[in-house]
Amino acid sequence: MGAHRSEGRSRDWLQQDATEHQVQSMNPWNIMIKHRQVHRRGRRSQMTVSYTDPVISMDLLRTVLQPSFNEDILAVFRKYMKFFEKGAVNVKENIGEEVQTDQLIKEACRNCLEHAKRLFPEGEKTTNRPGVEPPVKRARQMEDDSSQRGSPVPKKRKGRPPGPAIPYDRPVQFSTPAKPKASEAVKREGPKWDPSRLNEKSTFVLGSRANKALGMGGTRGRIYIKHADLFKYAADAQDKHWLAEKQHMKATGGKMAYLLIEEDVQDLAISDDYKDCPDLKMDELKPFVVPIWMIEKMQKAMDSQSQKAATADQAMASQNRDPAAASSAAALKGNETSVNALKGSVSKRLQQELMTLMMSGDKGISAFPESDNLFKWIGTIDGAQGTVYEGLRYKLSLEFPSGYPYKAPTVKFVTPCFHPNVDENGYICLDILKEKWSALYDVRSILLSIQSLLGEPNNDSPMNAVAAGLWADQEAFKTHLHSTYKN
């Protein structure tokens, strides 16, 4: 009777909920945490009880509802797919034609699901779940109750065997169990930088391969935590493109790619920590040599990191020598906080401009952040129809200051452009990028203005005198333009 009543109440609740929300939902399983089984033996009846883990029961319910969840999730992705598709096309136009847009969209969708997990953070795991009693005690207790009812003679309960008596004159010694020590934070000293280590013959390996070579393939990134003093260079988008082009890594290799010096990993392999390790797989390293331009970027990055570390050490030393330096350090920290807040507002502005540019539908212009740095973009401009630049495509770099949009960005041609108002270094003579800049301008208006400038130059203040002299003869200008064009 009780089971029938509960099922009836469940059906009433489900019907009421469906009426309120006006949606057609499927009835979930009526999962009982406690299952009773009655075994009859003659006139006497004995009841045994089995229990189900609540987590398992909820996972069964999740299994039933999972198809509905999947349909709803796919509906959400279909709703926002136009943004991902336009973003992937934008990346392909600005980064390179070899970019696989399908893979980029799938990776973005997977990242959305990974970030959605943060909505349900994991709590502290406890051994005893509240509301669930140990099954053994309850089962034994019910067996005792049933046996009491079946027999007129009361059953003697079994107690603990009497222990040895402890005299009161002897003090009782209690041993306090040692508490486990909390895990200490890993001390990270940072890389030991030596500029002489980088040259044309230096060989590098991917950090992921070094992790596998030293037998730590199951713990991604373990090598960086265990050996924080290793040389480590984080590859940017340009570096990843070169690595993928040379087949050192996949085109969609992930968000981060670190390069280590092969010599460091080889030294670790013969050290006492790894030389007897059975999981060593040094053939996983696959070392390679990088071009000069990448070595120069490594040197700049490591010099900047060393300079920051030296500045921090000097600040710490000055505080130890002079207590009054603490106040100046606090003021400096306050300034850093305000700078970070300013960068946050600029980042939001740039994110909005990126969305506006992708959804604008303007033909012949596009732009996208070059890497994880939102303050540096790569733009693309196609020559307007009816001009000598028709059919030509130019790439530009856009760097935004921390004071944007109240300060103009630095814009220059990456693709050499033969034009009266563009110099040999790619810098552009355009009034809205200088004295006539306004906070009302955005990336879209900048690209449209430069596209218009290609067909309508200002010959009164030329930066390229040769181009300004040829502009009057459009045929000669077009011939020279196409002969010198390099994409």
Side-chain angles (χ1 to χ4, degrees), residues 228-239:
D229 57 340
L230 283 178
F231 169 89
K232 181 179 68 172
Y233 169 72
D236 59 14
Q238 184 184 13
D239 304 329

Side-chain angles (χ1 to χ4, degrees), residues 1-3 32-39 46-52 138-139 142 149:
M1 291 295 291
M32 302 295 293
I33 301 299
K34 181 170 64 177
H35 306 277
R36 296 185 177 182
Q37 299 175 356
V38 179
H39 303 279
Q46 183 177 4
M47 182 179 294
T48 61
V49 182
S50 62
Y51 289 80
T52 304
R138 291 291 300 274
M142 296 193 69
R149 290 192 298 268

Side-chain angles (χ1 to χ4, degrees), residues 54-115:
V55 176
I56 298 177
S57 297
M58 291 302 295
D59 195 58
L60 290 174
L61 178 60
R62 192 269 314 159
T63 303
V64 176
L65 299 178
Q66 190 65 46
S68 298
F69 290 155
N70 294 343
E71 292 179 2
D72 294 340
I73 292 171
L74 288 176
V76 173
F77 278 116
R78 283 192 289 269
K79 176 182 177 182
Y80 294 100
M81 189 53 63
K82 58 182 179 181
F83 297 103
F84 289 124
E85 290 174 349
K86 290 194 175 184
V89 172
N90 206 353
V91 171
K92 187 174 182 178
E93 289 180 354
N94 294 282
I95 303 302
E97 291 294 332
E98 66 279 0
V99 174
Q100 299 179 0
T101 56
D102 293 340
Q103 288 295 113
L104 286 178
I105 293 175
K106 289 180 181 179
E107 189 67 24
C109 293
R110 293 192 190 100
N111 291 336
C112 287
L113 295 175
E114 289 295 329
H115 282 267

Side-chain angles (χ1 to χ4, degrees), residues 186-194 197 223-232 260-261 264 268 302 305:
V186 180
K187 184 178 180 181
R188 306 186 183 212
E189 299 178 354
K192 296 179 175 60
W193 169 231
D194 182 7
R197 302 195 66 192
I223 187 173
Y224 312 133
I225 301 175
K226 192 173 181 180
H227 305 285
D229 57 340
L230 283 178
F231 169 89
K232 181 179 68 172
L260 309 180
I261 297 179
D264 294 345
L268 285 176
M302 300 308 296
Q305 189 171 351

Side-chain angles (χ1 to χ4, degrees), residues 123 132-133 137 143 167 177 189 194 214 220 242-243 246 248 280 294 303 310 416 464:
V132 180
E133 299 179 5
K137 290 186 178 180
E143 289 178 359
E189 299 178 354
D194 182 7
L214 296 179
R220 194 172 85 177
W242 182 87
L243 291 170
K246 298 299 182 181
H248 295 306
L280 282 178
M294 193 181 298
D303 288 340
N464 188 332

Side-chain angles (χ1 to χ4, degrees), residues 1-290:
M1 291 295 291
H4 289 296
R5 290 196 191 97
S6 63
E7 292 178 1
R9 286 195 296 268
S10 299
R11 286 194 293 270
D12 295 341
W13 176 80
L14 286 172
Q15 293 174 359
Q16 181 182 359
D17 185 73
T19 304
E20 291 178 356
H21 296 280
Q22 296 181 354
V23 293
Q24 183 179 0
S25 60
M26 57 188 302
N27 293 332
W29 286 355
N30 184 16
I31 299 177
M32 302 295 293
I33 301 299
K34 181 170 64 177
H35 306 277
R36 296 185 177 182
Q37 299 175 356
V38 179
H39 303 279
R40 297 191 177 278
R41 297 178 180 175
R43 295 181 179 179
R44 298 179 181 179
S45 64
Q46 183 177 4
M47 182 179 294
T48 61
V49 182
S50 62
Y51 289 80
T52 304
D53 192 335
V55 176
I56 298 177
S57 297
M58 291 302 295
D59 195 58
L60 290 174
L61 178 60
R62 192 269 314 159
T63 303
V64 176
L65 299 178
Q66 190 65 46
S68 298
F69 290 155
N70 294 343
E71 292 179 2
D72 294 340
I73 292 171
L74 288 176
V76 173
F77 278 116
R78 283 192 289 269
K79 176 182 177 182
Y80 294 100
M81 189 53 63
K82 58 182 179 181
F83 297 103
F84 289 124
E85 290 174 349
K86 290 194 175 184
V89 172
N90 206 353
V91 171
K92 187 174 182 178
E93 289 180 354
N94 294 282
I95 303 302
E97 291 294 332
E98 66 279 0
V99 174
Q100 299 179 0
T101 56
D102 293 340
Q103 288 295 113
L104 286 178
I105 293 175
K106 289 180 181 179
E107 189 67 24
C109 293
R110 293 192 190 100
N111 291 336
C112 287
L113 295 175
E114 289 295 329
H115 282 267
K117 291 180 181 179
R118 300 178 184 177
L119 297 174
F120 305 96
E122 295 184 1
E124 296 182 357
K125 296 182 179 180
T126 55
T127 305
N128 298 324
R129 297 188 179 93
V132 180
E133 299 179 5
V136 179
K137 290 186 178 180
R138 291 291 300 274
R140 184 179 297 171
Q141 182 178 354
M142 296 193 69
E143 289 178 359
D144 294 341
D145 294 343
S146 62
S147 61
Q148 290 279 350
R149 290 192 298 268
S151 174
V153 180
K155 186 176 181 180
K156 186 175 181 181
R157 293 181 178 273
K158 294 182 180 181
R160 293 182 179 179
I166 301 176
Y168 289 102
D169 56 348
R170 189 178 68 180
V172 181
Q173 297 179 357
F174 296 94
S175 60
T176 305
K179 296 182 179 180
K181 295 183 179 180
S183 59
E184 298 180 356
V186 180
K187 184 178 180 181
R188 306 186 183 212
E189 299 178 354
K192 296 179 175 60
W193 169 231
D194 182 7
S196 61
R197 302 195 66 192
L198 299 182
N199 52 60
E200 300 178 5
K201 299 180 180 179
S202 300
T203 54
F204 300 88
V205 296
L206 287 176
S208 57
R209 292 191 177 276
N211 206 63
K212 293 179 182 179
L214 296 179
M216 296 182 287
T219 54
R220 194 172 85 177
R222 178 66 178 172
I223 187 173
Y224 312 133
I225 301 175
K226 192 173 181 180
H227 305 285
D229 57 340
L230 283 178
F231 169 89
K232 181 179 68 172
Y233 169 72
D236 59 14
Q238 184 184 13
D239 304 329
K240 291 180 184 178
H241 176 71
W242 182 87
L243 291 170
E245 191 178 40
K246 298 299 182 181
Q247 298 182 351
H248 295 306
M249 63 177 290
K250 296 180 180 179
T252 57
K255 293 182 179 179
M256 299 300 296
Y258 292 107
L259 297 184
L260 309 180
I261 297 179
E262 182 197 8
E263 182 183 1
D264 294 345
V265 183
Q266 295 287 358
D267 291 342
L268 285 176
I270 61 176
S271 65
D272 295 336
D273 295 337
Y274 296 98
K275 64 180 181 181
D276 297 328
C277 179
D279 297 329
L280 282 178
K281 299 177 181 179
M282 300 309 292
D283 56 341
E284 287 280 349
L285 289 181
K286 298 181 180 179
F288 52 87
V289 180
V290 302

